[in-house]
Amino acid sequence: MTAAAGLTLAAALTMSLAGPATAEVPVGEPTTYTSYPAIQDPGSSAPDYFQPLWLDDNGAHIQAHGGQIVTAEEDGRTVYYWYGEDRSNGYYGSPGVHAYKSYDTVNWVDQGVVLRSVSDASELETEYFDALYDTVDDAGQPRTERVAELNYQLNTNDAAEYTTIFERPKVLFNESTGKWVLWWHSDGQTSPGGSMYARSMAGVAVSDSPTGPFKMTGVYRMPNRTDYKACISAAVPGQARDMTVFQDDDGTAYIVYSSEENRSLYIAELDASYTNVTHTTDTDMADAGQYSEDGRFPYLFADGTPEAPVRGEDFQIVKECGMLEAPALFQHGGRYYVVASGATGWAPNPQTYHTADTILGSWIRGVQADDAYENVAYNAIPEGGDGLLSVGDVRRTTFGSQSTNVLDLGGGRFVYMGDRWNSGAADSTYVWLPITIGENGRAEMRNPATEDPERWGAGWDASYFDEHGLGDGIWSVVDDRLPETVEPGEDFSAKLPETVPVAVDGATAEVAVTWSATSFDERGPQLITGTLAADATFTAGRTFTRTIEVATPGIVNLALDAAVAASSRQDLAGTTADGNVKGKGWDDWVGGGVYPKSSWLSYTWAFPQDVDEVVVHTYKDGAGATWPSTIAAEYLDASGAWVSANASVDLAQDASATAPVAKLDVSGIPATSGVRLQLKTATNVWQSISEVQLWGAEGVRDVCGADGTTVTASFHQTQYETMPPANACDGSAATSWSTWDSTKRDQATLTIEPVEAHIVDRVGFTNREGTITGVSVEYRDAHGTWHPTTAQDVVPSANGSPTSFTFKPVLASAVRLVFATPGSYLKIPVLAVGAVDAAVEPAVTSRCVGGKVQLVATARNTADGPADVAVQSAYGGRVLDELAPGHAASAAIAVRAASATAGETTFTGADGVPVTVGYPAASCG
């Protein structure tokens, strides 16, 4: 937009915003555009939110909302026709579908209303409508039934008995028939005063000219699966709401529509005339007041009869139960894309997209099947997540827009067309932004005005694509050749490759690459971006991202193995420690329009750990600042009380900023079994946290929670079959193992059996209810015999406080805890059995020699250098001298008897840690 029109447009906009929804179309001085309008997203409450206006050749704000552009050839020139909703009268009383013509897609010439509505039935008796619909007989008398039938479908007056709504007009040119075919979302009341979205149909009209007049030939419900109520019981047959059309390279056309109360997004093939679907019937199967000029109606249900459509052949569902609308379909590199908005009314949201290799085949969200975000809600995909359309969309509103079409300019250049709705008012504006195709065909929409304000702040044009990897085809980096792990602050520039192999359509070539970083200060997974140079088929600027783990040896994120609890929304608490620092995690919303001003998140583990730093990744969950004003840390002391860590941070509540990352230094606290974060907000909004990282010394491995471990107990709430023993080892503070029953027991046992044997030396847990007077630990040897450890009748801490104790290390194939609960019960949410490493791998077997038992002790040296391994038993000891690293040796210990009771042998390697190994009873008699 040129600056010359600025004052006029601003004055017009002020007039528009001050008036009601039926305000006149804003006008300004006719101007010549050299670029697409620059888009800002200051938030819907900003006075300049509905700017800039986009004026036609008459100086009037363009009325082509919810529309589409069709490309044609005229007199050897490419011409563009932009069709859309005319909202010059506001949301109701629409004159119909408006059209504009352009040769450059930035300057538009008004072509008038090409599909007309009426505001009163009498208008249908005029010459214009009589010529189209034969509404007046030869005697000059109105055809009453014909007029009433058309009035039901075309009257947009909100005072009418049956108001209709024109939305989402889309046009196709049918080369075989020479006709222009216009489809739209036709909705409205089915009863006086009823819902304006009760009809939920798709209307179709035809014309000999792109500028009309278009004649309505049908208003239909569309094909559905038979179980169309699978997502919501309120769904009605064949609903067709927000929609678009698409013409494939072979001339086949399709209609895309939101159905099942916007729960599911469908694609259906159109017939050769583009005016109906492929399977029709002479019956209105929905009994919904459909209109058909030729008496054909869509056959609605895929019910298996010969007349019925078949899923995968005649129609397909892009997304089931996804709450999507406003679809826009395009194709690139042999792949089909559907961009769609969440169904949130006039409020914009973070839009998603789906892809498929065949249009009626299987669709996936984004480009990666079965990724972490495949089945989450569209608004839960994090920044950078597969399937999220916008990049750098700070407010998560798709830059304040809702999709309507994707304009293909050729050569991999795509323009997203969206609406910024003012509740359907005439001053609703347009958001046109570039979509580029990234690695593996990933669709990425950016806002040039905020990405590079100096260059694109006044508007952007097609040259934007030249520096963003313009080209045809789907490409991918075969091998990034990056280091997997680096240390904080390490300069790894020498490890970065200068070229990477890039595959396009099955051919691979080396392409020069530059990198966004050569070091990282923060621990954890960090993203690095590679930018490819130009090659034979692409311009420079293709980018791809990879993850590099930044880690300090011996320092780990303790939160990943912690039990997480929260002051509210416990079901979401665990998502703050799932390793995803970008995705939506937890918020403290409790409903009712009242938000807690103070909330907390706690992270506890069974054994005391050294914690040095807390890092809190907050999350922007809406247009406002949805993060805490203050975060303070506490730690769990030996008595089980929460104590201030004297560490806190204040966060600015800047709604225009990205979600901040808070860091708290807690290196001064003692070893602890837990950290709690106190979260306070100064605003009346929920507090959202994406991820919490607790960096500390590498801890003890937990056998109880390891993959494949089997957990059993003598019993658990047998009366109700709830709170099973596995709950104690699942790492969740929200689930517990409990032995409560109407009949109390004096003792309960918990058995932990890992996939393989481990050297264990400690147990930790917290009991919540009941009474435990003592706990004893036993271990099972490799031969199945149980032995007591040195931890017997240990008195636990008070309920709610952590209990942790050690015993002499034992090699255990299973561990059994015996809890004394005289006349009571227990309730344990989290329990851990700690495994340690030792400088020796021990084993003991027995054999018979000359009718006497011998113990055979075998040891493997796991130290870095040669070492002696001492073996001690009740029958004497041996030393295995100078075992080389990784080597094993055995020694026989004579029992000097024909039988031996079960017993233990102790092995001590280079680290001086004695490991006890049990063996079963033996007899040579």
Side-chain angles (χ1 to χ4, degrees), residues 119-141:
S119 59
D120 188 88
S122 62
E123 295 177 42
L124 291 164
E125 302 171 24
T126 62
E127 183 177 350
Y128 178 92
F129 287 101
D130 180 36
L132 287 174
Y133 300 107
D134 190 22
T135 54
V136 179
D137 64 22
D138 294 340
Q141 297 301 309

Side-chain angles (χ1 to χ4, degrees), residues 228-592:
Y228 62 90
K229 293 188 177 184
C231 301
I232 183 171
S233 61
V236 299
Q239 281 183 322
R241 288 186 170 164
D242 279 8
M243 47 71 62
T244 192
V245 292
F246 176 77
Q247 189 173 27
D248 213 342
D249 295 338
D250 63 0
T252 306
Y254 302 86
I255 183 169
V256 187
Y257 51 97
S258 184
S259 189
E260 301 174 8
E261 297 292 338
N262 289 337
R263 263 62 180 185
S264 296
L265 189 62
Y266 279 73
I267 294 179
E269 184 178 336
L270 296 176
D271 64 12
S273 70
Y274 300 172
T275 61
N276 214 319
V277 293
T278 56
H279 291 254
T280 60
T281 175
D282 59 3
T283 303
D284 180 350
M285 297 179 70
D287 191 22
Q290 298 182 77
Y291 171 82
S292 176
E293 184 178 68
D294 63 6
R296 294 187 305 130
F297 300 92
Y299 194 103
L300 293 189
F301 304 114
D303 56 19
T305 62
E307 301 85 4
V310 177
R311 182 170 179 173
E313 297 179 8
D314 304 294
F315 78 94
Q316 187 54 274
I317 303 178
V318 175
K319 178 65 176 178
E320 295 180 6
C321 307
M323 286 302 295
L324 299 177
E325 62 181 12
L329 197 151
F330 67 100
Q331 184 185 25
H332 175 78
R335 183 176 293 173
Y336 298 89
Y337 294 74
V338 170
V339 173
S341 164
T344 53
W346 299 115
N349 51 68
Q351 294 180 192
T352 185
Y353 69 95
H354 290 70
T355 64
D357 293 329
T358 57
I359 196 167
L360 294 180
S362 297
W363 289 78
I364 62 172
R365 173 179 282 163
V367 297
Q368 182 180 345
D370 300 322
D371 72 295
Y373 313 114
E374 184 67 34
N375 294 306
V376 303
Y378 65 89
N379 58 357
I381 306 173
E383 176 76 13
D386 185 41
L388 185 69
L389 178 65
S390 300
V391 178
D393 179 23
V394 174
R395 292 185 180 276
R396 292 183 62 80
T397 60
T398 315
F399 303 109
S401 74
Q402 185 181 46
S403 54
T404 180
N405 186 51
V406 174
L407 172 60
D408 186 353
L409 295 178
R413 300 174 302 167
F414 298 97
V415 179
Y416 164 94
M417 296 169 54
D419 291 285
R420 180 169 289 174
W421 290 111
N422 185 17
S423 300
D427 62 354
S428 298
T429 50
Y430 305 99
V431 173
W432 285 29
L433 294 172
I435 294 177
T436 57
I437 305 300
E439 186 178 20
N440 298 317
R442 179 175 181 149
E444 299 173 323
M445 185 175 81
R446 295 175 174 83
N447 186 354
T450 55
E451 185 181 46
D452 188 351
E454 184 174 347
R455 181 171 182 182
W456 307 114
W460 69 278
D461 56 42
S463 66
Y464 173 90
F465 295 101
D466 296 342
E467 298 175 2
H468 289 78
L470 180 64
D472 291 313
I474 306 295
W475 61 274
S476 61
V477 175
V478 178
D479 183 2
D480 56 57
R481 299 170 179 165
L482 291 170
E484 292 184 3
T485 303
V486 297
E487 292 194 31
E490 175 189 350
D491 183 352
F492 53 85
S493 56
K495 301 178 182 178
L496 296 174
E498 296 180 354
T499 66
V500 291
V502 180
V504 182
D505 298 329
T508 301
E510 291 289 329
V511 180
V513 61
T514 56
W515 300 96
S516 62
T518 57
S519 67
F520 293 106
D521 293 329
E522 295 183 8
R523 289 184 289 246
Q526 300 294 338
L527 289 179
I528 186 170
T529 301
T531 302
L532 298 175
D535 62 11
T537 54
F538 286 84
T539 63
R542 287 177 291 170
T543 61
F544 61 97
T545 58
R546 294 293 186 269
T547 299
I548 295 180
E549 189 68 27
V550 182
T552 302
I555 301 297
V556 297
N557 179 11
L558 300 172
L560 295 176
D561 294 321
V564 189
S567 54
S568 62
R569 307 204 74 181
Q570 177 61 42
D571 58 318
L572 296 178
T575 61
T576 64
D578 60 4
N580 183 358
V581 300
K582 295 292 186 181
K584 181 179 180 180
W586 166 90
D587 63 66
D588 62 357
W589 179 78
V590 294

Side-chain angles (χ1 to χ4, degrees), residues 64-343:
H65 307 287
Q68 181 188 38
I69 289 178
V70 179
T71 304
E73 292 291 326
E74 293 183 4
D75 300 326
R77 299 178 66 185
T78 299
V79 63
Y80 303 90
Y81 289 97
W82 182 6
Y83 302 89
E85 305 165 16
D86 188 323
R87 295 297 171 201
S88 55
N89 297 328
Y91 184 58
Y92 297 109
S94 170
V97 177
H98 212 121
Y100 298 83
K101 180 178 180 179
S102 175
Y103 291 101
D104 59 10
T105 72
V106 292
N107 295 284
W108 294 93
V109 178
D110 186 7
Q111 302 296 299
V113 177
V114 297
L115 173 66
R116 284 177 54 178
S117 70
V118 299
S119 59
D120 188 88
S122 62
E123 295 177 42
L124 291 164
E125 302 171 24
T126 62
E127 183 177 350
Y128 178 92
F129 287 101
D130 180 36
L132 287 174
Y133 300 107
D134 190 22
T135 54
V136 179
D137 64 22
D138 294 340
Q141 297 301 309
R143 302 182 190 276
T144 306
E145 292 185 4
R146 178 72 166 155
V147 169
E149 181 181 36
L150 293 169
N151 185 61
Y152 181 81
Q153 304 293 349
L154 295 175
N155 195 329
T156 63
N157 189 341
D158 61 341
E161 188 175 24
Y162 298 101
T163 303
T164 191
I165 301 173
F166 281 71
E167 294 185 338
R168 303 278 159 182
K170 305 293 189 291
V171 176
L172 298 164
F173 175 67
N174 191 314
E175 187 172 355
S176 64
T177 65
K179 299 288 187 180
W180 295 77
V181 183
L182 187 156
W183 284 86
W184 75 97
H185 169 207
S186 177
D187 226 318
Q189 296 164 313
T190 57
S191 60
S195 167
M196 287 293 184
Y197 284 90
R199 297 186 197 179
S200 53
M201 298 188 196
V204 59
V206 297
S207 173
D208 294 327
S209 166
T211 56
F214 280 85
K215 175 188 178 183
M216 178 181 66
T217 61
V219 183
Y220 305 126
R221 291 279 177 89
M222 287 284 114
N224 269 179
R225 53 181 172 170
T226 54
D227 57 342
Y228 62 90
K229 293 188 177 184
C231 301
I232 183 171
S233 61
V236 299
Q239 281 183 322
R241 288 186 170 164
D242 279 8
M243 47 71 62
T244 192
V245 292
F246 176 77
Q247 189 173 27
D248 213 342
D249 295 338
D250 63 0
T252 306
Y254 302 86
I255 183 169
V256 187
Y257 51 97
S258 184
S259 189
E260 301 174 8
E261 297 292 338
N262 289 337
R263 263 62 180 185
S264 296
L265 189 62
Y266 279 73
I267 294 179
E269 184 178 336
L270 296 176
D271 64 12
S273 70
Y274 300 172
T275 61
N276 214 319
V277 293
T278 56
H279 291 254
T280 60
T281 175
D282 59 3
T283 303
D284 180 350
M285 297 179 70
D287 191 22
Q290 298 182 77
Y291 171 82
S292 176
E293 184 178 68
D294 63 6
R296 294 187 305 130
F297 300 92
Y299 194 103
L300 293 189
F301 304 114
D303 56 19
T305 62
E307 301 85 4
V310 177
R311 182 170 179 173
E313 297 179 8
D314 304 294
F315 78 94
Q316 187 54 274
I317 303 178
V318 175
K319 178 65 176 178
E320 295 180 6
C321 307
M323 286 302 295
L324 299 177
E325 62 181 12
L329 197 151
F330 67 100
Q331 184 185 25
H332 175 78
R335 183 176 293 173
Y336 298 89
Y337 294 74
V338 170
V339 173
S341 164

Side-chain angles (χ1 to χ4, degrees), residues 535-823:
D535 62 11
T537 54
F538 286 84
T539 63
R542 287 177 291 170
T543 61
F544 61 97
T545 58
R546 294 293 186 269
T547 299
I548 295 180
E549 189 68 27
V550 182
T552 302
I555 301 297
V556 297
N557 179 11
L558 300 172
L560 295 176
D561 294 321
V564 189
S567 54
S568 62
R569 307 204 74 181
Q570 177 61 42
D571 58 318
L572 296 178
T575 61
T576 64
D578 60 4
N580 183 358
V581 300
K582 295 292 186 181
K584 181 179 180 180
W586 166 90
D587 63 66
D588 62 357
W589 179 78
V590 294
V594 179
Y595 306 106
K597 298 294 185 181
S598 179
S599 297
W600 55 262
L601 286 166
S602 69
Y603 303 82
T604 57
W605 42 89
F607 309 120
Q609 308 274 13
D610 290 318
V611 187
D612 296 326
E613 182 183 44
V614 179
V615 179
V616 182
H617 298 261
T618 66
Y619 186 77
K620 190 178 185 68
D621 189 17
T626 58
W627 50 81
S629 302
T630 302
I631 303 176
E634 300 173 325
Y635 71 94
L636 204 59
D637 70 9
S639 69
W642 291 105
V643 179
S644 173
N646 296 316
S648 66
V649 63
D650 295 327
L651 302 176
Q653 299 293 287
D654 182 0
S656 65
T658 57
V661 177
K663 297 182 179 179
L664 295 85
D665 182 356
V666 294
S667 58
I669 67 174
T672 180
S673 295
V675 169
R676 185 166 69 179
L677 301 177
Q678 292 289 351
L679 314 172
K680 299 183 184 299
T681 180
T683 58
N684 190 36
V685 70
W686 57 90
Q687 304 182 81
S688 298
I689 303 296
S690 174
E691 187 79 359
V692 173
Q693 298 167 324
L694 305 175
W695 296 104
E698 191 166 8
V700 179
R701 299 191 311 278
D702 176 25
V703 170
C704 192
D707 291 341
T709 295
T710 301
V711 185
T712 57
S714 53
F715 64 99
H716 66 278
Q717 287 210 337
T718 52
Q719 185 174 356
Y720 302 109
E721 288 297 324
T722 58
M723 299 192 186
N727 285 0
C729 293
D730 64 2
S732 171
T735 60
S736 300
W737 165 48
S738 177
T739 61
W740 184 91
D741 204 345
S742 56
T743 301
K744 302 300 187 294
R745 320 285 176 86
D746 292 338
Q747 180 178 286
T749 63
L750 182 73
T751 302
I752 299 100
E753 184 174 1
V755 174
E756 58 185 24
H758 292 271
I759 299 171
V760 298
D761 73 341
R762 65 195 67 196
V763 167
F765 64 90
T766 299
N767 189 50
R768 297 296 185 192
E769 297 177 8
T771 301
I772 301 175
T773 60
V775 58
S776 299
V777 183
E778 302 170 341
Y779 75 98
R780 191 181 67 191
D781 64 31
H783 310 284
T785 300
W786 288 95
H787 307 265
T789 68
T790 55
Q792 299 295 308
D793 297 320
V794 176
V795 177
S797 302
N799 285 354
S801 298
T803 295
S804 179
F805 55 87
T806 61
F807 43 86
K808 288 184 178 180
V810 296
L811 180 63
S813 63
V815 175
R816 184 164 63 200
L817 282 69
V818 182
F819 295 92
T821 57

